[in-house]
């Protein structure tokens, strides 16, 4: 499955130099068109049109319900903690009207690139951020409240749950401002306390926005 | 003052957790009295313990002499009075505040004044449990992870009235057993369950909200975050009924909406979809093989 990449902009999923970018072909010969940091537009002659998502829903690009001609548009994001190397996980996002064959083509393309693909509905945070951000908020709150030291919080998760890294070290490495941005977007949608950015993230964002960092 | 710990008692030693804790103590060379109300459970635990030590020898993790010494130092009883000579008694009975309080009250009249009482509770307050004893300064939280004989981590929690000497002696004992203690405040779920129970609930709610199939949710968490097991696989392993009980223990205390029982969990438990032990939960199991649900 050949693909073309539209948009030279920064991509969290496929940073400059990533092998996936290098294997792209020209749009004329591509079966799939991948939009990175560009406004998506219909490509009726292609098997699928992919658009990289940030914290927004796919519906922002396709309209809700999906506008005619955009049924082959599939959202995607490769999970990445802050500026860590991108993980092998690609979350594919579809709407109810999204064409099944377009989703299958997108899956085939990413799997051929050696990535692990999961398909999810068009809900804020997709799977990973929806589940892990409240946990990071809780861990940061526990730290504030003195439940345990950061070392013990992280060690407990590594030894007790087999995590590769603890929640506090992970969210801090990923960036508290990044955590603020993601949780703020989720909180806007869900409005539940679990997604309200933790105090430490609010402080970090305030310093960034005040030019102190 | 707290004296040297030489003899360790384990209450609830016929259960999986209690048997594992008894193994930890006996393996470290302590005289260990494994106590349970059920003779059958104790007999089963004894057999499992012998099997475990046997495998440890086979795998070169333990010498035959050490195995023999550990087994010789491990006794089993249904009589609580036989804990009278223990310097440390670890209770691992079922998660019920009143039952644990009553047990401590009984142990008050059996054990010496210097005996440390440790609770393996995963959800209850150490301070509230200690209120069942006339010597709450001698009560400490000591939460092992399943399976205790393999997992190094122990969450150590002082209650409001736990003396520093008690906490330090209990902490030192865990290190003598080659375990890794971490200190947490006496708060619901300590660290592990306070993070895990709501996280698992969030995953169940994601299924209910139609975010993705269980296989996709678990694959995303394992691939994206590097976890060894997805949250729904884990809930299936520990049992959906256990997750429900944890929710019912946490939510009334914390009023954290994430700790509240997800409606889907309640329905699945009612339907007998309890996870691996029932053959079906979020996944369907055939023997030990796992298939997408």
């Amino acid at each position: 499955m050949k693909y073309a990449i539209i948009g030279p902009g920064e991509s969290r999923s496929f940073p400059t130099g990533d092998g996936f970018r290098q294997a792209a072909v020209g749009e004329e010969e591509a079966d799939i068109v991948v939009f990175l940091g560009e406004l998506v537009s219909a490509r009726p002659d292609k098997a699928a049109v992919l658009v990289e998502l940030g914290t927004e829903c796919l519906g922002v690009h396709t309209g809700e319900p999906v506008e005619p001609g955009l049924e082959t548009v599939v959202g995607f994001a490769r999970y990445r903690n802050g500026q860590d190397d991108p993980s092998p996980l690609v979350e594919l996002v579809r709407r109810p009207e999204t064409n099944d064959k377009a989703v299958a083509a997108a899956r085939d393309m990413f799997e051929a690139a050696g990535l692990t693909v999961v398909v999810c509905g068009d809900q804020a945070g997709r799977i990973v951020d929806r589940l892990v951000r409240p946990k990071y908020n809780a861990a940061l709150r526990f730290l504030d409240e003195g439940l345990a030291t950061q070392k013990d919080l992280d060690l407990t998760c590594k030894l007790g749950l087999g995590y590769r890294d603890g929640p506090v070290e992970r969210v801090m490495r990923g960036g508290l401002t990044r955590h603020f941005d993601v949780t703020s977007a989720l909180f806007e949608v869900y409005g539940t306390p679990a997604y309200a950015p933790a105090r430490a993230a609010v402080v970090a964002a305030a310093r960034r926005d005040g030019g102190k960092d | 003052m707290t004296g040297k710990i030489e003899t360790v008692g384990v209450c609830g030693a016929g259960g999986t957790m209690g048997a594992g804790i008894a193994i930890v103590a006996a393996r470290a060379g302590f005289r260990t009295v494994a106590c349970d109300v059920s003779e059958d459970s104790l007999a089963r635990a004894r057999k499992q313990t012998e099997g475990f030590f046997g495998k440890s020898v086979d795998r070169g993790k333990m010498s035959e002499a050490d195995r023999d010494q550990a087994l010789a130092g491990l006794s089993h009883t249904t009589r609580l009075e036989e804990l009278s000579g223990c310097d440390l008694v670890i209770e691992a009975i079922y998660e019920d505040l009143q039952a644990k309080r009553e047990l401590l009250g009984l142990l008050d009249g059996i054990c010496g004044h210097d005996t440390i009482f440790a609770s393996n509770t995963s959800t209850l307050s150490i301070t509230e449990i200690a209120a069942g004893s006339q010597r709450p300064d001698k009560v400490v939280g000591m939460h092992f992870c399943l399976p205790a004989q393999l997992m190094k981590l122990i969450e150590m929690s002082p209650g409001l009235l736990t003396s520093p000497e008690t906490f330090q002696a209990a902490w030192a004992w865990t290190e003598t057993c080659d375990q890794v203690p971490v200190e947490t405040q006496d708060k619901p779920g300590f660290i592990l369950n306070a993070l895990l129970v709501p996280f698992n609930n969030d995953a169940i709610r994601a299924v209910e909200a139609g975010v993705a199939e269980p296989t996709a949710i678990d694959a995303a968490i394992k691939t994206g975050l590097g976890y060894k097991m997805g949250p729904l696989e884990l809930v299936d392993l520990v049992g959906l009924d256990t997750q429900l009980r944890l929710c019912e223990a946490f939510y009334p205390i914390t009023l954290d909406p994430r700790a509240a029982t997800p409606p889907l969990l309640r329905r699945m438990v009612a339907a007998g979809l309890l996870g691996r032990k029932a053959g079906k939960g979020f996944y369907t199991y055939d023997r030990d093989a796992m298939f997408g649900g």
Side-chain angles (χ1 to χ4, degrees):
Chain A
M1 192 77 73
K2 293 179 181 174
Y3 56 90
I5 293 179
I6 307 290
E10 271 301 300
S11 163
R12 282 188 56 76
S13 300
F14 301 109
T16 305
D18 190 284
F20 183 81
R21 279 180 182 252
Q22 292 167 358
V25 299
E27 186 174 344
E28 288 290 310
E29 58 177 309
D31 307 299
I32 294 175
V33 175
V34 180
F35 284 85
L36 299 179
E38 292 281 323
L39 286 177
V40 70
S41 55
R43 294 291 194 279
D45 58 326
K46 303 299 182 189
V49 175
L50 271 71
V51 57
E52 183 183 29
L53 300 176
T55 55
E56 81 278 21
C57 288
L58 176 60
V60 170
H61 299 273
T62 62
E64 296 183 7
V66 172
E67 293 168 9
L70 296 182
E71 294 87 352
T72 58
V73 175
V74 181
F76 80 94
R78 188 173 172 194
Y79 183 74
R80 184 179 185 188
N81 181 48
Q83 292 305 308
D84 287 358
D85 289 341
S87 76
L89 175 70
V90 172
E91 294 172 303
L92 280 186
V93 180
R94 64 170 300 160
R95 295 208 47 81
E97 308 95 323
T98 306
N99 184 296
D100 289 339
K101 288 181 179 172
V103 174
R107 178 189 283 274
D108 289 347
M109 178 193 71
F110 284 127
E111 287 182 344
L115 300 167
T116 300
V117 177
V118 298
V119 179
C120 59
D122 188 20
Q123 298 201 28
R126 299 178 288 274
I127 297 173
V128 178
D129 276 334
R130 178 192 175 106
L131 294 183
V132 83
R133 295 293 169 180
K135 180 189 275 189
Y136 292 161
N137 272 338
L140 290 169
R141 179 168 56 82
F142 291 162
L143 197 59
D144 272 354
E145 294 173 352
L147 176 67
T149 63
Q150 181 191 333
K151 175 176 167 287
D152 279 356
L153 271 165
D154 287 333
L155 183 63
T156 297
C157 290
K158 286 189 276 192
L159 289 183
L161 300 171
Y163 291 179
R164 191 180 298 158
D165 43 18
V168 180
E169 64 179 301
R170 190 173 175 89
V171 69
M172 287 188 171
R173 194 177 70 241
L176 287 173
T177 53
R178 168 80 183 157
H179 181 64
F180 176 85
D181 293 341
V182 174
T183 49
S184 295
L186 293 171
F187 186 63
E188 185 179 7
V189 172
Y190 294 118
T192 54
Y195 292 107
R199 186 203 61 83
V202 172
V203 169
R207 288 182 64 81
R208 174 193 64 186
D209 298 342
K212 292 188 175 175
D213 273 347
Chain B
M1 288 293 293
T2 300
K4 189 179 176 190
I5 295 173
E6 294 179 341
T7 304
V8 177
V10 180
C11 294
T16 305
M17 182 61 97
I21 295 170
I23 287 174
V24 169
R27 183 173 55 194
F30 293 93
R31 281 197 302 276
T32 304
V33 184
C35 183
D36 200 285
V37 293
S38 165
E39 277 189 28
D40 290 345
S41 297
L42 277 177
R44 190 168 57 244
R46 172 94 199 179
K47 192 174 175 187
Q48 288 169 343
T49 299
E50 289 169 352
F52 176 81
F53 282 141
K55 281 185 183 171
S56 296
V57 171
D58 293 344
R59 291 172 182 168
K61 293 180 178 176
M62 189 181 211
S63 70
E64 287 189 16
D66 285 345
R67 175 198 59 191
D68 294 344
Q69 185 182 358
L71 286 173
L74 175 61
S75 60
H76 293 76
T77 182
T78 55
R79 296 183 63 248
L80 210 55
E81 291 76 13
E82 292 192 28
L83 300 176
S84 62
C86 292
D87 308 300
L88 167 67
V89 176
I90 305 166
E91 72 78 14
I93 66 171
Y94 57 98
E95 285 285 274
D96 181 272
L97 179 61
Q98 194 55 36
K100 288 178 188 285
R101 279 180 170 170
E102 286 174 10
L103 175 62
L104 290 194
L106 291 171
L107 290 170
D108 272 351
I110 292 170
C111 299
H113 286 289
D114 285 340
T115 300
I116 294 172
F117 299 141
S119 174
N120 180 58
T121 183
S122 60
T123 55
L124 301 172
S125 160
I126 300 305
T127 305
E128 289 187 69
I129 291 171
S133 170
Q134 295 298 310
R135 23 181 153 145
D137 58 312
K138 296 289 185 189
V139 181
V140 63
M142 188 183 282
H143 177 226
F144 291 74
C145 297
L146 266 175
Q149 67 274 24
L150 296 178
M151 299 288 280
K152 293 284 187 191
L153 182 75
I154 300 180
E155 292 179 299
M156 298 289 298
S157 307
L160 286 179
L161 299 177
T162 306
S163 72
E165 292 79 10
T166 295
F167 189 75
Q168 286 159 15
W171 180 281
W173 179 81
T174 66
E175 291 183 320
T176 304
C177 293
D178 201 26
Q179 299 293 114
V180 179
V182 294
E183 181 174 355
T184 87
Q185 292 177 341
D186 179 20
K187 290 185 176 173
F190 310 115
I191 300 171
L192 210 57
N193 279 322
L195 286 172
L196 191 61
V197 172
F199 178 66
N200 291 344
N201 280 347
D202 288 345
I204 295 168
R205 288 195 185 90
V207 174
E208 188 159 26
V211 173
E213 295 294 317
T215 48
I217 289 171
D218 283 338
I221 293 301
K222 288 189 288 186
T223 308
L225 304 177
Y227 292 6
K228 290 179 179 171
M229 189 175 274
L232 300 165
E233 290 171 340
L234 183 59
V235 170
D236 264 7
L237 182 66
V238 302
L240 276 71
D241 50 342
T242 300
Q243 178 72 14
L244 177 61
R245 276 201 296 274
L246 287 166
C247 294
E248 290 181 343
F250 274 129
Y251 182 67
I253 302 169
T254 63
L255 298 181
D256 173 4
R258 294 177 64 225
T261 307
L264 176 61
L265 176 65
R266 200 177 289 285
R267 291 201 299 275
M268 289 179 74
V269 170
L273 304 174
L274 305 181
R276 187 177 281 271
K277 63 187 173 189
K280 191 166 175 61
F282 289 100
Y283 297 87
T284 300
Y285 302 89
D286 179 12
R287 297 181 187 152
D288 281 337
M290 184 184 290
F291 299 96

